[in-house]
Amino acid sequence: DAGVTQSPTHLIKTRGQQVTLRCSPISGHKSVSWYQQVLGQGPQFIFQYYEKEERGRGNFPDRFSARQFPNYSSELNVNALLLGDSALYLCASSPELASSYNEQFFGPGTRLTVL
Amino acid sequence: GEDVEQSLFLSVREGDSSVINCTYTDSSSTYLYWYKQEPGAGLQLLTYIFSNMDMKQDQRLTVLLNKKDKHLSLRIADTQTGDSAIYFCAESMSGTYKYIFGTGTRLKVLA
């Protein structure tokens, strides 16, 4: 069975540009969350989407946006890139919005470098 | 507040036990997790513990939870070179998939 997939694996952009990252959840999973992992730190929660609606948002500026499609895949968009946006962006999927046991399955991530 | 802290580095000899520690501040956390991250890879769930448990054992892994001190530990028995990685603890509350991760502990296993 395929796990969570993300594309692209690596990306290099320059300051001020815009980027779109993609995530396909595990088949049957309806919830997708996005995390930013800066080098040397733990992942930081950005968004959670469920049934195409935003259900949670971390402490990130409005330059960060996301959406979820009818097939439950998701895109993360970052506008006006800053050097500090360089990070590994992780996508995680889970079966439902919330349950008694909150396991998320993480993808391999997209490594974004902003020059 | 939301804050999860871990020591940055741990070095052990192959065959010894490793103990990785974590402290958290949110007493309303429902689940606590341990994840492993190898270089260039995503996060692999190792084990989790529900907040009303004190201990959980899963093969070579033992998780201990001290709710009073908000302290979580992961013990890896018979540590192998393949266990070398970064280990993250994380907490979440029932009803949300927002995980709060620690800073990670880099485990180095010496042959």
Side-chain angles (χ1 to χ4, degrees), chain B residues 9-23:
Chain B
F9 299 102
L10 177 65
S11 179
V12 299
R13 295 207 172 272
E14 191 174 20
D16 287 350
S17 291
S18 307
V19 179
I20 302 171
N21 295 302
C22 169
T23 58

Side-chain angles (χ1 to χ4, degrees), chain B residues 5-52:
Chain B
E5 295 186 354
Q6 300 178 236
S7 51
L8 290 180
F9 299 102
L10 177 65
S11 179
V12 299
R13 295 207 172 272
E14 191 174 20
D16 287 350
S17 291
S18 307
V19 179
I20 302 171
N21 295 302
C22 169
T23 58
Y24 61 98
T25 56
D26 196 335
S27 59
S28 59
S29 294
T30 307
Y31 290 94
L32 296 133
Y33 309 83
W34 283 104
Y35 278 85
K36 176 183 181 183
Q37 187 176 39
E38 296 182 87
L43 297 170
Q44 175 194 354
L45 177 67
L46 293 176
T47 187
Y48 68 94
I49 189 167
F50 189 47
S51 60
N52 69 353

Side-chain angles (χ1 to χ4, degrees), chain B:
Chain B
E2 301 174 341
D3 197 11
V4 180
E5 295 186 354
Q6 300 178 236
S7 51
L8 290 180
F9 299 102
L10 177 65
S11 179
V12 299
R13 295 207 172 272
E14 191 174 20
D16 287 350
S17 291
S18 307
V19 179
I20 302 171
N21 295 302
C22 169
T23 58
Y24 61 98
T25 56
D26 196 335
S27 59
S28 59
S29 294
T30 307
Y31 290 94
L32 296 133
Y33 309 83
W34 283 104
Y35 278 85
K36 176 183 181 183
Q37 187 176 39
E38 296 182 87
L43 297 170
Q44 175 194 354
L45 177 67
L46 293 176
T47 187
Y48 68 94
I49 189 167
F50 189 47
S51 60
N52 69 353
M53 299 168 66
D54 297 322
M55 186 184 86
K56 181 178 181 182
Q57 187 152 3
D58 185 359
Q59 299 182 340
R60 291 191 300 125
L61 305 179
T62 303
V63 179
L64 295 177
L65 175 60
N66 180 330
K67 289 182 287 294
K68 176 176 173 290
D69 295 336
K70 298 190 184 67
H71 182 266
L72 180 74
S73 68
L74 173 69
R75 178 177 180 271
I76 305 173
D78 187 25
T79 312
Q80 303 297 307
T81 54
D83 294 325
S84 292
I86 301 175
Y87 290 80
F88 292 95
C89 64
E91 59 175 345
S92 72
M93 287 174 280
S94 180
T96 174
Y97 282 109
K98 178 183 179 182
Y99 284 17
I100 308 299
F101 282 88
T103 49
T105 298
R106 184 179 294 275
L107 174 64
K108 183 174 182 180
V109 182
L110 306 172

Side-chain angles (χ1 to χ4, degrees), chain A residues 43-57:
Chain A
Q44 298 277 322
F45 173 77
I46 310 175
F47 287 113
Q48 182 196 6
Y49 273 76
Y50 176 74
E51 293 285 9
K52 296 176 288 181
E53 291 187 10
E54 181 183 308
R55 298 303 185 111
R57 185 184 184 110

